[in-house]
Amino acid sequence: MGGVTPASLAPILLVLGDEELLATRAVTEAVAKVRGAEPEADVREYQASALTVGEIAEMLSPSLFGGRRLLILRSGQDARKDLVAALLAYAKNPDPDVQLLVLHLGGAKGKAFADGLRAAGATVVPAAKLKGHRDRVAFVRDEIRRAGGKCTDDAAEALIAAVGNDLRELAAACSQLIADTDGRISADTVSRYYRGRVEVTGFTVADATMVGDVPAALEALRWALHVGVDPVPIADALADGVRTVARVASAGRGNPYQLASSLGMPAWKIERAQRQGRGWTPEGLVRAMQVAAECNAAVKGGSDDRAYALERAVFSVAAARQGSTR
């Protein structure tokens, strides 16, 4: 923070988007920068919907005692028209001792306010939800780089596969990996770190089932249930495994990287589904989908023996595959 000076702080910041983690981080960083430039800076927060024009004039007027101020306006999309007009007028000639930070969800509501701030020269901080898999891979790589580490694309892919898509969980996982390693994160690092967790997920059961390895699927299933994995995500993973192989098979043969955008799934998942799909016929996959649906209904519908419903599904999906090879 030593390089931060009052002059280097943007007079108006527009945090645009609905991803809570990114928006919260933008506020935290703005507060840290202001306090880095002036430790006694006055930081105040307001809700746009509850603020009047009189209050905004008072909070933006020069202070008798001087000193730097950071004014955080939350839910900017909810600001009334008179408040928007007053803030946009202020934005054309902002006070050099005041930094105004506006949080806005970025949708159609209150769009004129966000557009007006942007036109007035506000510094825009993107905080939109990450929609694509590539965006999340880039997020993981950036998280690890910000913490001083290095991460390959396949390591980021492996981390997302192990942890899921939630940004908070991914950010926490990145911090943990950096803290517990030398900072050079490879796919092997992630695999070693999450091996215990990954071995007992429903995906392990589904992967073995889809290639017809019944003993491995049953061993993984019994171990998962033994260590307390809920039957519902196991049934979901089995259904997802069948559905993914069916979707990839119907797309025909092709390069996984070329199919990724049209199928809307990562290349590694397509590659795995192509391997698992060998030996299946369309009829076998239809039967397997029926089995997975019945299993889901039994597990989620409060079947008396959910473990039995899962075991029976493993046998039935494997039988559907065997029927395909006849």
Side-chain angles (χ1 to χ4, degrees), residues 14 16 19 28 36 91 150 191 211 220 267 309:
L14 173 61
L16 203 57
E19 176 53 66
T28 304
K150 286 186 177 179
S191 177
V211 295

Side-chain angles (χ1 to χ4, degrees), residues 53-210:
V53 172
E55 287 169 326
I56 198 82
E58 185 184 334
M59 76 188 210
L60 290 171
S61 62
S63 168
L64 288 173
F65 305 103
R68 184 145 203 91
R69 275 174 290 164
L70 169 62
L71 305 174
I72 300 164
L73 191 66
R74 293 190 176 274
S75 304
Q77 71 282 349
D78 296 333
R80 293 189 297 273
K81 283 185 181 177
D82 56 348
L83 181 65
V84 168
L87 284 168
L88 292 182
Y90 167 80
K92 290 173 184 170
N93 187 25
D95 185 329
D97 288 329
V98 176
Q99 188 175 36
L100 175 65
L101 185 154
V102 177
L103 293 140
H104 190 295
L105 288 179
K109 187 180 183 185
K111 187 173 182 297
F113 184 24
D115 290 348
L117 288 173
R118 200 197 300 260
T123 299
V124 179
V125 181
K129 283 200 188 315
L130 304 186
K131 292 186 171 65
H133 182 75
R134 284 188 179 183
D135 288 342
R136 281 186 282 272
V137 168
F139 171 80
V140 168
R141 293 198 67 177
D142 190 49
E143 280 292 291
I144 288 172
R145 192 162 48 239
R146 279 161 60 108
K150 286 186 177 179
C151 168
T152 58
D153 268 358
D154 58 346
E157 298 264 14
L159 190 63
I160 293 164
V163 175
N165 290 331
D166 183 83
L167 284 204
R168 286 187 182 279
E169 288 194 17
L170 283 171
C174 290
S175 297
Q176 199 66 52
L177 275 171
I178 287 287
D180 294 346
T181 66
D182 62 1
R184 289 191 293 272
I185 314 297
S186 67
D188 284 345
T189 312
V190 176
S191 177
R192 282 197 308 274
Y193 198 85
Y194 283 94
R195 184 171 290 146
R197 177 174 174 171
V198 173
E199 274 175 2
V200 294
T201 66
F203 294 104
T204 318
V205 179
D207 289 348
T209 304
M210 290 309 295

